[in-house]
């Protein structure tokens, strides 16, 4: 046991700091394991610098909203686990880093036999410090049609332990004491990283690997290895179309289309693209072979949508994909997407007026200097330049887009004909807790900003209530 265990609150490292240490260590490990990830980081840094230089208004808006400081460190990863026990322990592991489960995603509707959540910070200040997210999927063995193969997969998964004994000790210590001191926080990062590390030796023979792969490539990826291994790590770009166009010149085989909404003046939700998964040498228990799972992804984030806005987004996306039943594989997908999404307002003024997106409101310098009635409407405050509205960044994911990324890296033939099998209660039972409603989080963030603005107008102290 560590001799640095000092269960006093003033000696604890903050969860934000542990999360930053871990995300940096993960990025360094993944850069070593997948050198093209380093190329991706360099590409995104170049595009972001050019975009901020060309768009001073965007730079000013991001600076005011606290977005610039987090841009370079921002990452999301993805991991897939096989059992309820693995998922529940991940929940406890991420809690050490101030990351909570947000959202429920049923990917079976797109032929991927998993359901998922995203572990991330939820408080405003924590998101500003480091918005590291891990999209975490649980394999749904019940969707494997062959009962014998289903039982075999369950038996293989039951034999493995994806967490080191030391990290389990440190998780329990953090839960008991309320935090970790510096040396233990560093030990936690080192030990937790082992769960996400790539292992080139499989736990099954080649025949079992091929049988599980025939059920679904993702099943083989989850079941056949000592640990779940991080399968991508994603930087945030400010111009994903420029990144998509530049990837081939950097030696990256980009997927055919960008997932999510089309290019817009006011970005909404999330757009994602990736380079194709790498074929990597692996050794089965009886033979040598290869496995394809890990890839590089880029994302561009826009404003979070209200329930009304999300309903309109989902309706329009369904219209695009229903055209000739061609989905995103059709050669004219991007033009169809742009055409249909003309129905989605593309100015922040219209998005606010129609209640389609969320914003943080704050007084401007002129507003602070003016004598203003505390009950003056937001509309008037904005019109007179006394307040400004900063878009609240969408911190979460889109199930159709996530499935599209998964499918592009599993091979075109991988589309399995599952029906929608949303099972949030079963997922939460496996998780050992409830997931946050992501839209409720954005609504609360917007309301906090309004309450704080009103408090300033009333001459009251502002309480930092970033729950």
């Amino acid at each position: 046991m560590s001799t640095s265990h000092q269960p006093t609150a003033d000696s604890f490292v903050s969860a934000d700091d542990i999360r930053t240490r871990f995300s940096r260590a993960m990025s360094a490990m993944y850069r070593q394991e997948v050198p093209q990830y380093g190329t991706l980081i360099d590409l995104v840094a170049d595009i972001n610098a050019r975009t901020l230089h060309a768009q001073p208004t965007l730079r000013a808006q991001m600076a005011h909203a606290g977005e610039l400081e987090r841009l370079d460190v921002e990452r999301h990863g993805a991991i897939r686990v096989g059992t309820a026990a693995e998922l529940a322990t991940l929940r406890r592991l991420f809690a050490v880093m101030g990351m909570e489960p947000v959202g429920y995603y049923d990917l079976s509707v797109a032929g991927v036999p998993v359901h998922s959540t995203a572990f991330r910070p939820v408080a405003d200040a924590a998101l500003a410090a480091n918005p590291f997210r891990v999209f975490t999927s649980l394999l749904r063995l019940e969707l494997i049609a062959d009962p014998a193969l289903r039982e075999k997969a369950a038996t293989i998964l039951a034999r493995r332990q994806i967490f080191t004994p030391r990290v389990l000790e440190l998780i329990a210590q953090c839960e008991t004491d309320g935090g970790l001191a510096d040396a233990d926080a560093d030990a936690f990062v080192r030990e937790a990283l082992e769960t996400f590390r790539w292992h080139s030796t499989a736990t099954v023979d080649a025949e079992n690997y091929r049988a599980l792969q025939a059920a679904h490539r993702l099943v083989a990826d989850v079941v056949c290895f000592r640990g779940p291994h991080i399968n991508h790590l994603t930087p945030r770009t400010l111009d994903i179309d420029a990144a998509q166009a530049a990837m081939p010149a950097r030696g990256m085989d980009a997927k055919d289309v960008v997932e999510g909404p089309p290019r817009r003046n006011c970005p909404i939700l999330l757009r994602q693209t990736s380079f194709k998964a790498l074929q990597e040498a692996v050794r089965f228990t009886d033979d040598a072979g290869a496995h394809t799972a890990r890839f590089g992804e880029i994302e561009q984030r826009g404003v979070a949508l209200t329930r009304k806005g999300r309903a309109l987004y989902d309706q329009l996306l369904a219209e695009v994909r229903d055209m000739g039943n061609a989905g995103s594989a059709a050669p004219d997908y991007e033009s169809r997407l742009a055409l249909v999404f003309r129905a989605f307002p593309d100015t922040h003024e219209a998005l606010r007026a129609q209640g389609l997106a969320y914003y943080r409101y704050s007084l401007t310098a002129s507003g602070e200097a003016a004598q203003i009635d505390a009950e003056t409407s937001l509309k008037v405050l904005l019109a007179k330049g006394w307040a400004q509205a900063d878009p609240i960044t969408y911190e979460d994911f889109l199930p159709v887009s996530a499935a599209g990324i998964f499918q592009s890296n599993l091979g075109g033939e991988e589309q399995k004909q599952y029906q929608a099998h949303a099972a949030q209660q079963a997922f939460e039972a496996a998780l050992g807790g409830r997931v946050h409603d992501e839209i409720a989080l954005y609504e609360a963030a917007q309301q906090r900003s309004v309450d704080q603005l009103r408090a300033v107008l009333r001459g009251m102290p502002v309480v930092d209530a970033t729950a």
Side-chain angles (χ1 to χ4, degrees):
M1 296 289 291
S2 169
T3 57
S4 62
H5 176 198
Q6 301 172 350
T8 56
D10 58 355
S11 69
F12 292 151
V13 176
S14 73
D16 291 346
D17 190 10
I18 299 175
R19 184 171 67 257
T20 294
R21 294 184 194 186
F22 181 79
S23 63
R24 286 175 176 164
M26 175 93 82
S27 188
M29 180 185 77
Y30 199 67
R31 185 187 286 258
Q32 186 175 34
E33 291 181 348
V34 182
Q36 274 193 317
Y37 166 70
T39 306
L40 199 68
I41 295 297
D42 294 341
L43 169 64
V44 168
D46 290 346
I47 288 173
N48 287 351
R50 290 202 302 269
T51 303
L52 290 169
H53 178 75
Q55 300 182 40
T57 302
L58 174 64
R59 172 183 279 277
Q61 181 267 312
M62 292 186 69
H64 184 267
E67 294 273 330
L68 275 184
E69 290 80 0
R70 71 179 229 181
L71 182 62
D72 289 343
V73 301
E74 188 162 353
R75 300 285 187 276
H76 96 246
I79 194 169
R80 306 157 182 164
V81 295
T83 69
E86 291 175 352
L87 180 67
T89 304
L90 274 180
R91 175 184 57 78
R92 297 171 58 216
L93 182 148
F94 286 127
V96 175
M97 298 183 271
M99 299 163 70
E100 301 178 26
V102 179
Y104 171 77
Y105 304 91
D106 171 29
L107 272 61
S108 69
V109 67
V112 181
V114 301
H115 47 182
S116 315
T117 191
F119 288 96
R120 66 166 177 88
V122 297
D124 295 344
L127 286 165
N130 188 330
F132 182 57
R133 319 165 187 87
V134 180
F135 190 80
T136 303
S137 300
L138 175 64
L139 180 63
R140 303 187 66 180
L141 290 176
E142 74 273 15
L143 297 181
I144 298 176
D146 182 345
L149 188 64
R150 191 163 62 237
E151 181 62 30
K152 184 183 291 290
T155 300
I156 294 167
L157 288 169
R159 290 198 297 257
R160 75 179 186 180
Q161 170 56 273
I162 67 173
F163 304 99
T164 69
R166 183 66 180 130
V167 84
L168 295 175
E169 290 176 359
L170 289 165
I171 291 169
Q173 178 179 312
C174 183
E175 291 169 341
T176 300
D177 298 341
L180 295 175
D182 187 67
D184 286 335
D186 280 343
F188 169 84
V189 169
R190 287 194 304 272
E191 297 290 328
L193 206 61
E194 292 305 308
T195 298
F196 298 80
R197 190 179 298 281
W198 168 251
H199 299 288
S200 59
T201 53
T203 58
V204 300
D205 59 28
E207 181 181 358
N208 277 316
Y209 173 84
R210 286 192 293 268
L212 290 163
Q213 187 180 51
H216 198 290
R217 289 194 190 190
L218 188 141
V219 174
D221 182 61
V222 174
V223 174
C224 297
F225 295 89
R226 287 167 47 196
H229 53 255
I230 194 82
N231 58 67
H232 64 271
L233 206 54
T234 304
R236 177 181 171 189
T237 183
L238 300 176
D239 189 342
I240 200 165
D241 300 287
Q244 174 88 340
M247 285 168 75
R250 304 278 186 120
M252 289 176 273
D253 183 12
K255 71 187 298 292
D256 295 332
V257 299
V258 175
E259 298 289 344
R263 184 180 183 92
R264 294 165 42 87
N265 294 320
C266 298
I268 59 173
L269 297 174
L270 175 67
R271 303 180 71 205
Q272 296 171 285
T273 190
S274 70
F275 64 72
K276 300 290 181 64
L278 309 173
Q279 187 174 78
E280 301 178 88
V282 296
R283 176 159 290 282
F284 303 110
T285 57
D286 62 344
D287 198 4
H291 180 66
T292 303
R294 299 192 300 163
F295 55 94
E297 184 179 280
I298 305 173
E299 65 184 18
Q300 180 174 355
R301 293 187 172 271
V303 64
L305 299 185
T306 62
R307 296 190 196 281
K308 179 182 176 183
R310 184 58 183 271
L312 178 57
Y313 171 80
D314 290 341
Q315 172 196 326
L316 296 178
L317 188 64
E319 286 180 24
V320 177
R321 289 175 172 261
D322 284 347
M323 288 181 177
N325 200 30
S328 62
D332 64 341
Y333 176 73
E334 290 181 323
S335 61
R336 286 189 286 116
L337 190 70
L339 178 66
V340 170
F341 267 82
R342 288 179 184 174
F344 205 111
D346 198 15
T347 68
H348 286 298
E349 293 75 17
L351 292 172
R352 287 199 307 273
Q354 296 182 37
L356 298 174
Y358 288 116
Y359 295 83
R360 282 192 180 88
Y361 297 93
S362 59
L363 288 181
T364 61
S366 61
E368 291 174 355
Q371 295 294 317
I372 304 171
D373 187 302
E375 303 309 315
T376 303
S377 71
L378 284 173
K379 183 177 180 181
V380 171
L381 292 172
L382 292 166
K384 291 186 174 293
W386 290 338
Q388 72 180 64
D390 292 309
I392 295 180
T393 297
Y394 185 66
E395 306 286 354
D396 297 292
F397 298 91
L398 301 170
V400 173
S401 296
I405 293 285
F406 278 18
Q407 293 293 4
S408 71
N409 289 290
L410 292 168
E413 76 282 3
E414 282 297 318
Q415 185 75 26
K416 304 292 183 182
Q417 298 305 312
Y418 303 116
Q419 299 297 313
H421 288 288
Q424 183 168 339
Q425 284 186 319
F427 182 85
E428 289 178 332
L431 180 69
R434 299 289 299 275
V435 300
H436 289 279
D437 176 340
E438 67 272 24
I439 296 181
L441 292 176
Y442 299 118
E443 186 173 6
Q446 176 174 284
Q447 188 59 50
R448 275 196 303 274
S449 75
V450 174
D451 292 344
Q452 289 173 353
L453 183 151
R454 298 290 181 204
V456 171
L457 290 178
R458 295 186 185 107
M460 297 168 63
V462 176
V463 177
D464 183 13
T466 54

